[in-house]
Amino acid sequence: MLQNLHVKNLALIDEIEITFDEHLNILTGETGAGKSVLIGSIESALGKKISKDMIRPGAKEAVIELLFWIEDEKLIKEIEAFDLEVEDGQIFIKRVINEKRSINKINDSTVTLNTLREVSRRLFDLHGQQEHQVLLKEKNHLSMMDHFLPIEAKKSLEECRELSKKYHKIEEKIKEISIDDQQRLRELDFLKHEISEIENANLIEGEDEELEAVYKKILHSKEIITSCQAASMLTGYEEEISIGNQLSESLRKMQEISHLDPVIQGFYEQLLSIEDLLNGFHQELTDYMEDMDFDEQTYQEAEERLNVINSLKDKYGSSIEEILAYGQKASERYNILCDVEHEIDILKQEQKQIKEQYIKEAENLSQKTRKRS
């Protein structure tokens, strides 16, 4: 419900604030007292276009503020879907109109005029003479009546809706499999081909990523070996200018004077640690190059396997997981079409049970509604 209205510098209004109570609120006054301006201010706050001429003469801007309080959880979720926070069921709408533009805010979040209108129409319905309003639309009558149901009745109503959804979902399944024999046989043949193609591939989750890594490594093996060999020569001890030789010479020099100063002894020990790291790196690099012995067969096998997987991805999904999931669904569909009559009998039995539950819940809803009345 609308709890509070605050208007400042709008038309004849300097500033006014009205607090609304529950039940019936009546605004009275002589013609020209400003009742229409108040109603117009509410319309403007809810998103109706407003002329800049409505700003009170001498003022820079007009401000209209509305405070709503709601307790309908479903309505709160609808409003939060607009990326708006609703705390304690309160909705605060503020609209500022100046000579250049209007600024719209909902709970301190700046929103577009369209968003303001979408949220407002869920909160408030303003009725005027000969206006086509929500209350007059027949399609809205049922939902309005449902709004006033007691909590227990609303639970039964929601259960009825869920059962109805399940019933119609099964109805759609029955329609999907209720096809003529010729069409069914064609689909079975097509599904059989798809299932066989996926099963014969013997896919393993993650193997495509491993194969792509191996394939890439083989494809660039010459470039990798060349660069690794160059790095090995520069960090080893074979070349005079290599890091290994330069480091050994540095160690020898520092060792000669390490006994003269504890600080130099520390430098010497740091160089020893660096030498250990360099030797470890050099050994690992050597081992890596020795393992880079790929033959043509390994390359061809990886390439052919990737071609098979990528071909299946083009048809059934962007990943092995999606391909396998597609195959599972195809198998389920195949099994259903193999024995359509039996499947339809099962689905109709489920429908019968749901219908019985629906009738029972509908009776509960009727009883709870009568108790309230």
Side-chain angles (χ1 to χ4, degrees):
M1 63 168 284
L2 176 62
Q3 285 188 314
N4 186 270
L5 165 67
H6 176 237
V7 183
K8 185 176 181 180
N9 297 328
L10 185 70
L12 301 174
I13 299 174
D14 180 12
E15 185 170 12
I16 189 171
E17 185 165 351
I18 301 174
T19 300
F20 298 96
D21 296 323
E22 292 186 11
H23 308 299
L24 180 64
N25 293 266
I26 299 176
L27 300 177
T28 62
E30 297 179 356
T31 302
K35 301 186 297 299
S36 297
V37 177
L38 288 175
I39 299 300
S41 67
I42 295 175
E43 288 182 311
S44 300
L46 297 176
K48 185 177 180 179
K49 288 186 177 180
I50 183 170
S51 172
K52 297 176 178 60
D53 296 336
M54 291 296 291
I55 301 174
R56 183 179 172 84
K60 293 183 179 180
E61 61 182 24
V63 179
I64 310 168
E65 297 174 334
L66 298 177
L67 178 63
F68 292 90
W69 180 75
I70 54 178
E71 56 182 346
D72 189 327
E73 291 296 330
K74 183 179 179 181
L75 178 56
I76 290 175
K77 288 181 180 178
E78 286 184 20
I79 294 172
E80 288 178 336
F82 290 92
D83 291 330
L84 297 171
E85 293 185 4
V86 180
E87 294 185 5
D88 300 325
Q90 290 191 328
I91 304 294
F92 179 70
I93 294 177
K94 181 176 181 179
R95 194 166 187 201
V96 180
I97 302 99
N98 56 40
E99 294 181 355
K100 294 182 179 179
R101 63 185 185 280
S102 65
I103 300 172
N104 316 304
K105 289 193 174 186
I106 300 178
N107 286 0
D108 291 329
S109 295
T110 302
V111 298
T112 63
L113 188 59
N114 185 56
T115 299
L116 175 63
R117 289 169 178 166
E118 285 296 315
V119 172
S120 297
R121 73 180 183 83
R122 290 167 167 80
L123 295 172
F124 200 85
D125 188 33
L126 194 62
H127 305 274
Q129 292 180 351
Q130 299 179 352
E131 290 182 356
H132 192 59
Q133 303 293 344
V134 173
L135 187 62
L136 303 179
K137 296 179 181 178
E138 187 177 342
K139 66 179 182 179
N140 296 317
H141 291 173
L142 187 59
S143 61
M144 290 178 181
M145 294 296 294
D146 290 342
H147 177 75
F148 293 99
L149 288 173
I151 294 176
E152 290 301 319
K154 285 183 178 180
K155 290 180 180 178
S156 293
L157 177 63
E158 191 61 33
E159 182 63 24
C160 286
R161 287 172 175 166
E162 289 300 318
L163 289 169
S164 177
K165 289 179 183 178
K166 290 180 181 179
Y167 185 91
H168 287 98
K169 193 172 182 179
I170 293 175
E171 189 70 30
E172 289 299 319
K173 287 184 180 179
I174 292 174
K175 288 181 181 179
E176 286 178 6
I177 62 177
S178 297
I179 55 180
D180 61 68
D181 288 342
Q182 189 175 6
Q183 184 181 350
R184 183 173 65 87
L185 290 172
R186 283 199 302 268
E187 187 173 351
L188 280 171
D189 187 56
F190 185 68
L191 288 169
K192 186 176 181 180
H193 168 73
E194 290 184 326
I195 295 166
S196 176
E197 188 174 30
I198 294 172
E199 288 180 347
N200 290 339
N202 295 317
L203 298 173
I204 301 173
E205 292 185 11
E207 69 168 314
D208 52 339
E209 296 176 359
E210 294 179 5
L211 282 168
E212 284 171 2
V214 171
Y215 181 76
K216 184 178 180 181
K217 190 175 179 180
I218 298 173
L219 192 63
H220 299 282
S221 58
K222 185 177 180 180
E223 179 184 347
I224 293 172
I225 286 293
T226 301
S227 295
C228 286
Q229 286 175 341
S232 178
M233 291 177 61
L234 291 170
T235 57
Y237 296 89
E238 292 81 6
E239 300 293 329
E240 185 176 347
I241 61 170
S242 65
I243 295 174
N245 283 330
Q246 297 294 325
L247 184 58
S248 295
E249 181 63 19
S250 298
L251 279 167
R252 188 181 66 80
K253 294 290 186 182
M254 296 301 289
Q255 186 180 28
E256 291 175 353
I257 59 173
S258 61
H259 64 284
L260 300 176
D261 189 339
V263 176
I264 296 176
Q265 177 65 29
F267 292 153
Y268 173 69
E269 291 174 358
Q270 288 183 50
L271 283 175
L272 284 174
S273 298
I274 293 171
E275 185 184 43
D276 288 339
L277 288 172
L278 184 63
N279 288 336
F281 162 78
H282 196 266
Q283 184 60 50
E284 290 181 13
L285 184 60
T286 301
D287 294 340
Y288 176 82
M289 288 189 292
E290 290 177 354
D291 292 337
M292 284 288 292
D293 184 18
F294 296 111
D295 54 26
E296 186 66 22
Q297 183 179 352
T298 303
Y299 175 80
Q300 289 180 354
E301 288 175 354
E303 185 177 42
E304 290 172 3
R305 183 60 175 169
L306 279 174
N307 288 338
V308 170
I309 294 173
N310 290 331
S311 175
L312 293 175
K313 285 182 178 180
D314 290 338
K315 297 177 183 178
Y316 308 118
S318 59
S319 66
I320 289 180
E321 290 79 2
E322 289 184 9
I323 295 170
L324 294 174
Y326 183 94
Q328 180 64 31
K329 288 183 179 179
S331 296
E332 292 172 0
R333 176 74 174 172
Y334 183 86
N335 293 332
I336 289 173
L337 293 180
C338 282
D339 194 356
V340 174
E341 292 182 1
H342 177 66
E343 186 65 27
I344 290 177
D345 288 340
I346 293 175
L347 291 172
K348 286 186 174 180
Q349 187 61 35
E350 288 182 23
Q351 272 191 321
K352 183 180 178 182
Q353 293 174 357
I354 291 173
K355 185 177 180 180
E356 291 172 354
Q357 292 175 357
Y358 181 89
I359 293 172
K360 183 178 179 180
E361 200 60 50
E363 290 174 350
N364 289 336
L365 173 60
S366 180
Q367 290 175 2
K368 292 170 183 176
T369 305
R370 284 198 296 270
K371 284 181 181 179
R372 177 62 178 256
S373 59

